[in-house]
Amino acid sequence: MRKPVGLSTSTSRPEPPTWRWAWHGWANALVLGWLALTVITATGATAAEPWLAVHLFLLGAVTTAIVVWSEHFSVALLHAQAPDRRWSAARLALLTAGQAAVLAGVSSDVTVLLAAGATVVTAAIAAHAYVLLRMRLRSLGGRLAPLVDYYLLACAALLAGAPLGALLGLGVGGAAWHERLHLAHAHLNIGGWVLLTVVGTLFMLWPSAVGTTISGVTHVAARWCLRALAAGLVVAVVGMLAGSPLITVVGVGGYAVGVLAAMVPFAATLLHRRPVSGAAWLLAGSIGWLLVAVVADLVVIASGASGDGLDRLGPMLLVGVIGQVLIGSLTFLLPVVIGGGPAEVRRAREHLHRGWAVRAGALNAGVAGLVLSPAADWAGPVGLILVLGVGADFVLRAGWLIAPKLARPGVRGRITAFGSAAVLTVTAIVVAVAFAGPVPLDEHASGGAHAAGSAGARTVEVALSGMRATPSVIEVPAGTRLVLSVTNTDSQRHDLRVDGGPRTPLLRKGQQASIDVGVVAADVKAWCAVPGHRAAGMALTIKVGGAAAAAQGHSGHTTATGPAPDPGAAYSTGFTAHDAVLPPAPTGRLHRVELPVVDKEIEVAPGLRQKSWTFGGSVPGPTLRGRVGDEFEITLVNRGTLGHSIDFHAGATAPDGMMRTIEPGERLVYRFLADKAGAWLYHCGTMPMTQHISAGMFGAVIIDPPDLAPADREYVIVASELYHGEPGGEPVTAALRAGTPDGWVFNGSANQYDGAPLPAKVGERVRFWVVSAGPGSRTAFHVVGTRFDTVYREGAYLLRPGAGAAQVLDLAPAQGGFVEMTFAEPGGYPFVDHDMRHAEAGAHGVVQVTR
């Protein structure tokens, strides 16, 4: 008959009971201190970030508990000698200092402190892993010895995840890498460091809490489970960092298989004996939430969902799994390790288990409420109250149990000194967080935040998306009372904090909040306070300007759309200019084309990237070409996030049918007969059209005139205005209404053909097809250093060879045509919009002529 597994420290040289009691008293007092700080922070009574509450729990309480208890369990599982408590205390003190530095560094935005803290935490965990590995290698093994491998792999996961967290906090890689680093860091730290430890511990702790023996299938299941969890985690993290959804799904799927393998012995234990204690029921609840959370994680990752989908995973993992395991484990273990005799252990158990059914029910109901909070506004606050109430109750009960042990005399002074220092450290952090909060606005808001200054009041729309705040610069006259209307259009949650002033709550996608900055008298900065977001670029500056800054758009909103692009700068490495070459018309009379609507980030000027709404993923969209009499069948597929439509000027059809707006995920077939020659515009026809066209939704259709002569080279140029900012945002809308673009461009990006000139040779006939997309500006196309001998505009020749020459092809918005020329000698020939404001603001390129 198998004997029940004991969890006491059986060593070759047993520790005196008072030493062990004192060690666990002080070490677990540190865990309780972090838990207390988590509860205080999460109540919202302080100005701390939600991030801070989560990391006080995970990095503080949970990590400390893992270090303390994984060492304890490893000694028991390996029948090893307990490490010298002085060195254990030193490692734990080092860990505590690193934890405090990381939390303080991120909260205060001091990157040096963050980097130093991450380094110290990594060193402490590396030292802890070394101790465990040394015990594992020196042990004689045993049936349960392989469970220590879970702790070793958990340490490896944290050692990999900590540097990623530091990179995230420092904003390394900007917006492009933020989401990758965030997912990889979260999965390594939670799925690796925490859950590997949890699963490995539950194999022995779950039967002990239930009061039965370990199932016979545990040993086999534990081996297969560890392999699947480790392999799945590695593959998933590689996929996340590589930006590959397929690899990520395969990895998360493998991890889920490992969790399912663990469920076999867990279920076998449950079938053998029903839980009767509060500790056992809490552990049972954590196992149930673990299964739900891992499956939900796989579904969210596989579906590509974000926002609310990811938000729902947090409560399941943080409270449902990790919180319940922590409280359930300590409820079961603390009476044993702090000892005092059978009667005292029995009283301690009764004290911790009293009213367990109500507390376990409230905790799990609270988790359910937090999970449902995105769908029901009332569920979140109720769930948080239940969870924090249970957490506070446990901290008080466990603290009452531990406190008398800490006062016992005769214990090694060094252990006592460590305990005092560690608790004082946590107390200092508690005080700092409890009393930290927004200080009153300084001079830029003096004189009364609710009294309009001499320059009047101003409301500015601010959009948060893609690690950017748009506009990134807001100019107002001195004395303006400024209100920021902040909308989060991103899948991640963001907020906005004004330096030394007010802030918004944490906003989910689509949520909006207004903050009254007050009367502005000096420059001030604002940023997203979610750790790492400011460093990644989500910040804005409020600048005090002169009278010019007082220009307002519609309804008193600013027309600023961000910093003006610099056409003279260099494009980013890897940038490829839009292909301006126009291929010959394809053979056949029927042309079938699938044209997807895609939201895509485009580099619209050197170093200036922004979200665009596109046909086919480019600005302009693909150029279509045919001959008079050809038929076009265009299948429009809306893969964007808003409703869109399409309008082909080259055809004649009723607008209320094929030009109707289709919603995301829908398809529409647009058919037209190209019965007239010309250079035609196509564009999105969804209102307001200015927004959709200015965001990039336009392209050209070239229908050859029947008598079109051959040319050696043909290029197509689509001229348009450039508005810097979030498509559809208020700053862009105001600038469109005022007719004040940030620039003018050819084929979607400013001056792109300066660095990638269009080639030609001396004596070749070169034809430029030009379409003006607007939405509001005319185009005066001109090639410097040559003249046009052929001009075709709006379906008619204005000039043919031998009848003179022309210098400009002048086009109103939506007009098109072509010009032809030859070059007499080699050199660089600029082509420009001869409205020089347009040329100097991006509508410029070069034809490079060679022999």
Side-chain angles (χ1 to χ4, degrees), residues 582-672:
L582 179 64
T587 59
R589 286 299 187 180
L590 177 60
H591 309 298
R592 289 191 173 95
V593 178
E594 184 172 285
L595 197 58
V597 172
V598 180
D599 294 353
K600 186 174 181 180
E601 191 177 72
I602 303 290
E603 188 165 4
V604 296
L608 183 62
R609 302 180 66 87
Q610 67 180 40
K611 178 181 176 183
S612 299
W613 302 336
T614 75
F615 291 117
S618 65
V619 178
T623 299
L624 309 179
R625 191 174 192 181
R627 295 177 297 276
V628 174
D630 287 359
E631 292 183 71
F632 288 80
E633 183 179 289
I634 311 298
T635 301
L636 184 68
V637 183
N638 191 349
R639 296 176 185 163
T641 55
L642 300 171
H644 295 290
S645 63
I646 196 165
D647 175 7
F648 286 97
H649 290 192
T653 184
D656 53 359
M658 288 184 286
M659 298 182 195
R660 70 182 183 276
T661 297
I662 60 172
E663 297 303 318
E666 296 182 345
R667 303 167 69 92
L668 178 145
V669 178
Y670 192 120
R671 299 182 181 87
F672 68 90

Side-chain angles (χ1 to χ4, degrees), residues 25 67 94 96 99 210 266 298 318 344 402 404 516 716 744 797:
V67 169
L94 183 68
T96 303
Q99 292 164 327
V210 172
F266 294 165
L298 178 60
L318 295 178
E344 191 168 348
I402 288 175
D516 191 341
V716 60
W744 289 262
Y797 283 97

Side-chain angles (χ1 to χ4, degrees), residues 23 81 174 386 473 574 700 711 750 786:
W23 164 252
Q81 179 179 328
L386 291 174
V473 178
T786 188

Side-chain angles (χ1 to χ4, degrees), residues 40 49 97 256 265 283 342 395-396 428 483 495 534 583 586 596 634 679 803 823:
I40 292 171
E49 312 295 341
L283 294 179
V395 169
L396 293 174
V483 175
D495 64 5
R534 181 186 184 184
I634 311 298
F823 298 92

Side-chain angles (χ1 to χ4, degrees), residues 212-232:
T212 185
T213 58
I214 291 180
S215 169
V217 300
T218 297
H219 314 295
V220 175
R223 288 197 299 271
W224 284 104
C225 173
L226 183 60
R227 294 168 186 170
L229 291 176

Side-chain angles (χ1 to χ4, degrees), residues 15-24 405 408-412 415:
E15 292 180 298
T18 54
W19 293 11
R20 188 173 71 249
W21 297 341
W23 164 252
H24 280 286
K405 307 296 181 183
R408 289 189 176 185
V411 185
R412 283 192 175 184
I415 296 179

